mmCIF file of all heavy atoms in Angstrom:
data_model
loop_
_atom_site.group_PDB
_atom_site.id
_atom_site.type_symbol
_atom_site.label_atom_id
_atom_site.label_comp_id
_atom_site.label_asym_id
_atom_site.label_seq_id
_atom_site.Cartn_x
_atom_site.Cartn_y
_atom_site.Cartn_z
ATOM 1 N N GLU A 24 -17.808 25.295 -1.480
ATOM 2 C CA GLU A 24 -18.306 25.700 -2.789
ATOM 3 C C GLU A 24 -19.743 26.223 -2.739
ATOM 4 O O GLU A 24 -20.231 26.769 -3.719
ATOM 5 C CB GLU A 24 -18.158 24.559 -3.798
ATOM 6 C CG GLU A 24 -16.706 24.312 -4.169
ATOM 7 C CD GLU A 24 -16.510 23.206 -5.192
ATOM 8 O OE1 GLU A 24 -17.498 22.552 -5.591
ATOM 9 O OE2 GLU A 24 -15.352 22.990 -5.603
ATOM 10 N N LYS A 25 -20.407 26.084 -1.581
ATOM 11 C CA LYS A 25 -21.733 26.695 -1.418
ATOM 12 C C LYS A 25 -21.632 28.213 -1.328
ATOM 13 O O LYS A 25 -22.591 28.921 -1.554
ATOM 14 C CB LYS A 25 -22.424 26.167 -0.160
ATOM 15 C CG LYS A 25 -22.943 24.755 -0.280
ATOM 16 C CD LYS A 25 -23.591 24.323 1.018
ATOM 17 C CE LYS A 25 -24.062 22.879 0.933
ATOM 18 N NZ LYS A 25 -24.557 22.404 2.233
ATOM 19 N N ASN A 26 -20.444 28.712 -0.949
ATOM 20 C CA ASN A 26 -20.219 30.147 -0.770
ATOM 21 C C ASN A 26 -19.646 30.831 -1.998
ATOM 22 O O ASN A 26 -19.617 32.051 -2.060
ATOM 23 C CB ASN A 26 -19.234 30.385 0.384
ATOM 24 C CG ASN A 26 -19.808 29.973 1.709
ATOM 25 O OD1 ASN A 26 -20.966 30.202 1.986
ATOM 26 N ND2 ASN A 26 -18.987 29.343 2.533
ATOM 27 N N THR A 27 -19.132 30.054 -2.935
ATOM 28 C CA THR A 27 -18.372 30.650 -4.026
ATOM 29 C C THR A 27 -18.574 29.874 -5.319
ATOM 30 O O THR A 27 -18.878 28.676 -5.291
ATOM 31 C CB THR A 27 -16.863 30.691 -3.682
ATOM 32 O OG1 THR A 27 -16.148 31.244 -4.786
ATOM 33 C CG2 THR A 27 -16.299 29.322 -3.364
ATOM 34 N N SER A 28 -18.378 30.564 -6.430
ATOM 35 C CA SER A 28 -18.388 29.879 -7.727
ATOM 36 C C SER A 28 -17.028 29.235 -7.987
ATOM 37 O O SER A 28 -16.849 28.521 -8.968
ATOM 38 C CB SER A 28 -18.739 30.851 -8.856
ATOM 39 O OG SER A 28 -17.764 31.874 -8.944
ATOM 40 N N GLY A 29 -16.053 29.488 -7.106
ATOM 41 C CA GLY A 29 -14.726 28.874 -7.226
ATOM 42 C C GLY A 29 -14.819 27.359 -7.117
ATOM 43 O O GLY A 29 -15.747 26.817 -6.517
ATOM 44 N N GLU A 30 -13.857 26.688 -7.713
ATOM 45 C CA GLU A 30 -13.810 25.225 -7.714
ATOM 46 C C GLU A 30 -12.558 24.771 -6.974
ATOM 47 O O GLU A 30 -11.451 25.202 -7.299
ATOM 48 C CB GLU A 30 -13.783 24.697 -9.153
ATOM 49 C CG GLU A 30 -15.041 24.979 -9.935
ATOM 50 C CD GLU A 30 -16.207 24.109 -9.514
ATOM 51 O OE1 GLU A 30 -15.986 22.996 -8.984
ATOM 52 O OE2 GLU A 30 -17.355 24.543 -9.702
ATOM 53 N N ILE A 31 -12.728 23.903 -5.983
ATOM 54 C CA ILE A 31 -11.623 23.468 -5.127
ATOM 55 C C ILE A 31 -11.375 21.982 -5.315
ATOM 56 O O ILE A 31 -12.306 21.187 -5.342
ATOM 57 C CB ILE A 31 -11.943 23.772 -3.647
ATOM 58 C CG1 ILE A 31 -12.176 25.274 -3.459
ATOM 59 C CG2 ILE A 31 -10.822 23.268 -2.732
ATOM 60 C CD1 ILE A 31 -12.736 25.661 -2.105
ATOM 61 N N ARG A 32 -10.087 21.619 -5.435
ATOM 62 C CA ARG A 32 -9.695 20.210 -5.532
ATOM 63 C C ARG A 32 -8.528 19.938 -4.600
ATOM 64 O O ARG A 32 -7.751 20.833 -4.292
ATOM 65 C CB ARG A 32 -9.249 19.860 -6.960
ATOM 66 C CG ARG A 32 -10.335 20.068 -7.971
ATOM 67 C CD ARG A 32 -10.714 18.939 -8.855
ATOM 68 N NE ARG A 32 -10.506 17.590 -8.453
ATOM 69 C CZ ARG A 32 -10.324 16.598 -9.319
ATOM 70 N NH1 ARG A 32 -10.283 16.840 -10.603
ATOM 71 N NH2 ARG A 32 -10.179 15.369 -8.904
ATOM 72 N N VAL A 33 -8.410 18.671 -4.215
ATOM 73 C CA VAL A 33 -7.274 18.200 -3.422
ATOM 74 C C VAL A 33 -6.607 17.083 -4.216
ATOM 75 O O VAL A 33 -7.283 16.178 -4.724
ATOM 76 C CB VAL A 33 -7.728 17.665 -2.039
ATOM 77 C CG1 VAL A 33 -6.563 17.013 -1.295
ATOM 78 C CG2 VAL A 33 -8.347 18.778 -1.211
ATOM 79 N N HIS A 34 -5.277 17.156 -4.315
ATOM 80 C CA HIS A 34 -4.518 16.123 -5.027
ATOM 81 C C HIS A 34 -3.406 15.600 -4.118
ATOM 82 O O HIS A 34 -2.640 16.383 -3.561
ATOM 83 C CB HIS A 34 -3.909 16.684 -6.316
ATOM 84 C CG HIS A 34 -3.222 15.641 -7.134
ATOM 85 N ND1 HIS A 34 -3.911 14.796 -7.971
ATOM 86 C CD2 HIS A 34 -1.920 15.282 -7.214
ATOM 87 C CE1 HIS A 34 -3.042 13.961 -8.551
ATOM 88 N NE2 HIS A 34 -1.835 14.240 -8.109
ATOM 89 N N LEU A 35 -3.327 14.278 -4.009
ATOM 90 C CA LEU A 35 -2.279 13.623 -3.225
ATOM 91 C C LEU A 35 -1.323 12.913 -4.164
ATOM 92 O O LEU A 35 -1.742 12.254 -5.122
ATOM 93 C CB LEU A 35 -2.876 12.584 -2.267
ATOM 94 C CG LEU A 35 -3.954 13.057 -1.301
ATOM 95 C CD1 LEU A 35 -4.449 11.891 -0.461
ATOM 96 C CD2 LEU A 35 -3.447 14.183 -0.429
ATOM 97 N N GLU A 36 -0.053 13.034 -3.859
ATOM 98 C CA GLU A 36 0.975 12.372 -4.655
ATOM 99 C C GLU A 36 2.054 11.891 -3.702
ATOM 100 O O GLU A 36 2.393 12.579 -2.745
ATOM 101 C CB GLU A 36 1.536 13.360 -5.665
ATOM 102 C CG GLU A 36 2.510 12.762 -6.638
ATOM 103 C CD GLU A 36 2.723 13.700 -7.813
ATOM 104 O OE1 GLU A 36 3.317 14.782 -7.613
ATOM 105 O OE2 GLU A 36 2.295 13.353 -8.918
ATOM 106 N N GLU A 37 2.594 10.708 -3.980
ATOM 107 C CA GLU A 37 3.602 10.165 -3.081
ATOM 108 C C GLU A 37 4.912 10.946 -3.145
ATOM 109 O O GLU A 37 5.430 11.393 -2.130
ATOM 110 C CB GLU A 37 3.853 8.689 -3.385
ATOM 111 C CG GLU A 37 4.718 8.049 -2.339
ATOM 112 C CD GLU A 37 4.410 6.589 -2.144
ATOM 113 O OE1 GLU A 37 3.376 6.101 -2.605
ATOM 114 O OE2 GLU A 37 5.226 5.936 -1.498
ATOM 115 N N HIS A 38 5.434 11.141 -4.366
ATOM 116 C CA HIS A 38 6.763 11.745 -4.490
ATOM 117 C C HIS A 38 6.907 12.457 -5.834
ATOM 118 O O HIS A 38 6.361 12.018 -6.839
ATOM 119 C CB HIS A 38 7.835 10.647 -4.382
ATOM 120 C CG HIS A 38 9.212 11.133 -4.681
ATOM 121 N ND1 HIS A 38 9.902 11.971 -3.837
ATOM 122 C CD2 HIS A 38 10.024 10.908 -5.740
ATOM 123 C CE1 HIS A 38 11.090 12.234 -4.378
ATOM 124 N NE2 HIS A 38 11.182 11.602 -5.524
ATOM 125 N N THR A 39 7.638 13.551 -5.818
ATOM 126 C CA THR A 39 8.016 14.228 -7.056
ATOM 127 C C THR A 39 9.411 14.817 -6.893
ATOM 128 O O THR A 39 9.804 15.160 -5.773
ATOM 129 C CB THR A 39 7.009 15.341 -7.437
ATOM 130 O OG1 THR A 39 7.429 15.926 -8.674
ATOM 131 C CG2 THR A 39 6.934 16.413 -6.371
ATOM 132 N N GLN A 40 10.124 14.917 -7.990
ATOM 133 C CA GLN A 40 11.446 15.551 -7.980
ATOM 134 C C GLN A 40 11.322 17.075 -8.019
ATOM 135 O O GLN A 40 12.264 17.787 -7.712
ATOM 136 C CB GLN A 40 12.266 15.091 -9.204
ATOM 137 C CG GLN A 40 12.557 13.608 -9.236
ATOM 138 C CD GLN A 40 13.570 13.196 -8.178
ATOM 139 O OE1 GLN A 40 14.319 14.003 -7.656
ATOM 140 N NE2 GLN A 40 13.564 11.913 -7.841
ATOM 141 N N LYS A 41 10.152 17.550 -8.415
ATOM 142 C CA LYS A 41 9.951 18.980 -8.624
ATOM 143 C C LYS A 41 9.587 19.691 -7.319
ATOM 144 O O LYS A 41 9.204 19.060 -6.348
ATOM 145 C CB LYS A 41 8.843 19.188 -9.643
ATOM 146 C CG LYS A 41 9.185 18.556 -10.969
ATOM 147 C CD LYS A 41 8.109 18.781 -11.983
ATOM 148 C CE LYS A 41 8.663 18.332 -13.312
ATOM 149 N NZ LYS A 41 7.829 17.624 -14.131
#
Side-chain angles (χ1 to χ4, degrees):
E24 289 181 356
K25 286 179 183 174
N26 294 320
T27 178
S28 62
E30 294 286 335
I31 301 170
R32 299 235 26 207
V33 173
H34 185 81
L35 305 179
E36 186 165 68
E37 189 149 346
H38 172 71
T39 182
Q40 297 289 340
K41 300 181 170 138

